[in-house]
Amino acid sequence: MQNQQNVATPTSGNALPEGFLWGGAVAGHQIEGGWDEDGKGLSVVDVLTGGAHGVPRRITENVEPEEYYPNQVASDFYHRYEEDVELLAGMGLRCFRTSIQWSRIFPLGDEEEPNEAGLAFYDRLFDTLNAHGIQPVVTLSHFELPLHLARHYGGFRNREVVAHFERFARTCFERFHTKVRYWMTFNEINNQMDTRNPLFLWTNSGVTLHEEDNPREVLLRVAHNELLASALAVTAGHEIDPDLKIGAMISFVTVYPYSCDPQDILAADIANHERFLFPDVQVRGHWPAYALKEIEANGYDIGFQEGDDAILRAGTVDYLGFSYYMSTTVKAGAEDHAEESGIVDGGMPGSVDNPHLGATDWGWTIDPTGLRHSLITLSERYDIPLFIVENGYGAYDTVEEDGTVHDDDRIDYLRAHIEAMKDAVLKDGVDLIGYTPWGIIDLVSFTTGEMRKRYGLIHVDRNDDGSGTLARTPKKSYYWYRDVIGSNGAQL
Ligand code: BG6
C-alpha cells in the first residue's frame, strides 16, 4: 500500500478516553453483493432500482431482468472481505459495524431452520475481524427484511413477523455471541416516521401503503410491532449471554426552531416527538404520553395486547446508537407547505432552510455543532451510553491519474465532527462508546442507489453503470483517520 503525506496536525484538545471504539460502518446490503449466493433469499432492497439525487428508487415486484439493481454486486465485499479487513486493520480500526443480512440466514424469513451457508459467511467475517483486533458491531436488521415477509405478510404491519424476527435474532445471538459483543436491533428505526416517502416504510418494515390506509395509523401499528420485536430480541440476547450490549439505533437529525418566537420553539418540540417516539420506548420501556394521546384522540387501533407492556418494559436497551449527518430547522406555520419540504434530505413537515448552514451536493446540511447538540440532548434525555454509529460526507470524488483521491473536504467534515464529539465528551461529560464513520469503504447509497455518492476512506472502483474493476485504493482521508485513531483523537 502506497503511503501518503501525513496530513494530521496536532490540536490543543485532549485525547479521548482509553478504549474508545474508533471504527467504521457499513451495512450488508450496501456493500456485500452476492445477492443470490449460498442460498440467500431476496430482501426488500433486492427489488430497489438505482436512483439519483431527486430521482427516487423504484420498488419492483420481483427482480426484473431489464432493470438495474445496484445492490446485486455492490462493492463485492462478500468475496473481498479478507482484503478489506486488512485495509481496515491498516487504519488501526478498533471496531467495524456491519449488518447480518436476514435473508442470508432465513431466505424467506419464516423458516424454522436457518441456512447454514449464510451463518458460515458471518462466522468467517467475524473471525477475520477478531483476528485483526477489530470488534464487530452488528445490526440485526439494516433495511434487509426478507422480501417474502413483505409480500406475503405485509411486513411489520402483521404481528406474525415479530416472532420471525425474534427467531432470527435468537439464531444470531446463539451462533455469534462469543464473537460479537455489541449489537443493535433495527437500523434507524425512526426514519420511517415521515410516511410521505414510501422508501422508508418499505425498507424499514416491508410495508406499502394502500389507498384505504390511514398512513399515520399504519405507521403506529408498525411501530408497535417493531418495538415489540426489538424488545423481545433484547430479552433473548440477554438470556443467551448477559454480557451482550444490545442497543437501539435511530436516525438523529437534530431539530432547531427557526427563531426565538415561542411558536417556533413549540413547533420544534412537537417535531421532536417524531425523532423520539421509538427511542423513548426502547430506552424507557413504555409508550410516551404524547403518542398515547394521539392514539386516543384519533381512535387508532394499533394492536396493543395484554402483556405488551411487560414485553416492552423487559426489553430496554443497553445503549443508544445513532446516525448523525445533518440538522433541520422548523418554523411554525411552514407545515402548511409540507409538500414542498424535503422528504429525503432530513426535512420534515414544517422544515425550512437554515441560513447559517451550507449543504452537501445532495442537499444535506453540514452542521458539526449540531452533533454536539445531539449528544447533549440524547445524553440528558436518556442517561445511557451513546454510540455514534454513522456520520459522514457523501460526495463526488475525483480520482487522479495516478489513482489517488485527495478528499480534503471529507477530511474537513470528519475533523469538524470529531472536534464537536470531543467537546461533548471532554467538556459536557457525555458517555460515548465510540464513533464509526459511515461507508468507510465506498458502497451503494441507500436513498439514491448511487455509487458516486461516496463516503469512503477507501475508494472502490465501481460506477453507476456497473463498470469498474472493484479495486480498492486508500484515499487521503484513510491516512488522516489512521493518525487520528493512533493518537486517540488528539491529532486532528
Ligand atoms: C443512513 C443509513 O440513513 O444513512 C445508511 O443507515 C445510509 O444505510 C446512510 O447509507 C447515508 O445515506 P445515503 O442515502 O447517502 O446512502
Side-chain angles (χ1 to χ4, degrees):
M1 184 193 320
Q2 183 200 347
N3 206 338
Q4 289 192 346
Q5 192 193 346
N6 182 344
V7 293
T9 46
T11 68
S12 53
N14 299 316
L16 284 169
E18 278 305 310
F20 184 80
L21 287 181
W22 294 99
V26 301
H29 75 276
Q30 288 172 268
I31 195 163
E32 285 174 10
W35 66 289
D36 61 352
E37 286 185 50
D38 299 327
K40 180 181 170 298
L42 290 178
S43 81
V44 291
V45 288
D46 288 322
V47 295
L48 282 185
T49 65
H53 185 35
V55 182
R57 304 181 78 176
R58 284 174 297 110
I59 304 165
T60 59
E61 186 55 29
N62 225 303
V63 173
E64 316 291 350
E66 69 281 3
E67 297 280 4
Y68 179 65
Y69 299 97
N71 299 76
Q72 288 190 346
V73 173
S75 305
D76 197 34
F77 182 78
Y78 193 70
H79 302 109
R80 294 166 194 254
Y81 69 91
E82 285 174 305
E83 173 192 350
D84 286 340
V85 173
E86 290 272 340
L87 281 168
L88 297 174
M91 241 186 302
L93 245 60
R94 299 176 187 166
C95 74
F96 178 63
R97 173 181 178 231
T98 189
S99 60
I100 294 178
Q101 291 208 62
W102 187 347
S103 65
R104 285 202 192 284
I105 311 303
F106 290 97
L108 295 175
D110 57 1
E111 300 92 336
E112 288 299 321
E113 295 303 322
N115 169 33
E116 177 53 34
L119 290 167
F121 167 67
Y122 292 105
D123 263 331
R124 293 195 296 277
L125 172 60
F126 300 151
D127 287 344
T128 307
L129 286 164
N130 283 319
H132 285 83
I134 302 174
Q135 281 205 49
V137 173
V138 171
T139 317
L140 284 167
S141 182
H142 194 129
F143 311 151
E144 291 147 348
L145 189 90
L147 185 63
H148 174 74
L149 294 183
R151 293 277 186 237
H152 293 268
Y153 291 77
F156 271 101
R157 68 158 88 205
N158 184 337
R159 194 168 166 131
E160 284 178 57
V161 172
V162 173
H164 297 313
F165 179 77
E166 190 190 355
R167 189 171 53 254
F168 164 59
R170 269 185 187 280
T171 304
C172 294
F173 293 139
E174 274 162 6
R175 178 76 168 225
F176 303 123
H177 72 101
T178 56
K179 303 177 184 192
V180 180
R181 180 179 159 85
Y182 285 98
W183 297 82
M184 279 164 276
T185 53
F186 291 93
N187 182 66
E188 290 192 339
I189 190 166
N190 61 341
N191 77 351
Q192 53 197 326
M193 295 302 291
D194 190 345
T195 52
R196 292 173 301 166
N197 186 338
L199 181 71
F200 298 123
L201 260 179
W202 174 252
T203 47
N204 227 313
S205 303
V207 169
T208 39
L209 291 173
H210 310 301
E211 227 171 281
E212 65 277 13
D213 284 332
N214 175 327
R216 191 68 184 177
E217 187 173 25
V218 172
L219 170 79
L220 294 170
R221 174 176 281 266
V222 164
H224 186 53
N225 285 336
E226 229 170 306
L227 288 164
L228 288 172
S230 175
L232 287 164
V234 172
T235 301
H238 287 153
E239 264 167 36
I240 290 162
D241 186 340
D243 287 339
L244 296 186
K245 300 288 176 207
I246 309 173
M249 194 302 195
I250 61 165
S251 156
F252 202 68
V253 178
T254 204
V255 180
Y256 297 131
Y258 184 72
S259 74
C260 55
D261 177 344
Q263 293 305 321
D264 286 348
I265 309 277
L266 198 61
D269 286 340
I270 291 169
N272 261 320
H273 291 164
E274 301 299 285
R275 297 279 181 258
F276 291 131
L277 171 60
F278 282 91
D280 278 356
V281 183
Q282 290 175 295
V283 176
R284 295 169 170 163
H286 57 85
W287 277 70
Y290 55 84
L292 293 174
K293 276 283 167 214
E294 181 190 350
I295 292 165
E296 181 193 308
N298 291 285
Y300 292 151
D301 170 12
I302 69 159
F304 269 116
Q305 290 180 12
E306 216 187 312
D308 288 357
D309 285 345
I311 293 173
L312 296 178
R313 233 185 355 261
T316 54
V317 292
D318 301 313
Y319 68 94
L320 180 60
F322 69 101
S323 63
Y324 177 83
Y325 293 91
M326 61 189 138
S327 57
T328 193
T329 303
V330 298
K331 189 168 171 27
E335 60 273 21
D336 299 342
H337 308 286
E339 289 311 314
E340 294 148 38
S341 57
I343 57 173
V344 173
D345 302 332
M348 53 203 319
S351 54
V352 293
D353 282 347
N354 184 329
H356 303 285
L357 299 175
T360 69
D361 285 335
W362 276 261
W364 293 22
T365 56
I366 300 175
D367 179 14
T369 305
L371 177 57
R372 182 170 174 192
H373 178 73
S374 304
L375 285 160
I376 294 171
T377 304
L378 293 171
S379 162
E380 291 179 354
R381 188 176 181 99
Y382 295 122
D383 201 18
I384 60 171
L386 303 176
F387 199 158
I388 303 169
V389 293
E390 286 185 34
N391 170 237
Y393 183 66
Y396 300 107
D397 278 348
T398 305
V399 182
E400 306 296 336
E401 269 184 23
D402 63 359
T404 56
V405 177
H406 300 274
D407 53 345
D408 293 289
D409 288 352
R410 181 168 296 108
I411 293 172
D412 288 346
Y413 179 101
L414 293 172
R415 179 190 287 121
H417 284 78
I418 293 172
E419 282 282 13
M421 168 179 95
K422 281 175 59 178
D423 282 345
V425 173
L426 301 175
K427 296 182 182 161
D428 307 319
V430 169
D431 182 0
L432 187 65
I433 297 169
Y435 175 73
T436 61
W438 175 250
I440 190 125
I441 303 170
D442 284 344
L443 40 60
V444 176
S445 154
F446 159 58
T447 51
T448 69
E450 295 167 291
M451 277 304 293
R452 71 183 145 193
K453 186 182 187 188
R454 295 178 184 273
Y455 287 88
L457 280 53
I458 297 170
H459 181 264
V460 174
D461 182 19
R462 175 90 178 161
N463 305 309
D464 287 321
D465 60 3
S467 63
T469 63
L470 290 162
R472 275 56 172 157
T473 313
K475 303 179 193 178
K476 187 173 176 182
S477 54
Y478 175 99
Y479 301 100
W480 171 80
Y481 192 45
R482 179 195 62 188
D483 293 339
V484 172
I485 298 176
S487 67
N488 214 8
Q491 277 196 297
L492 294 179

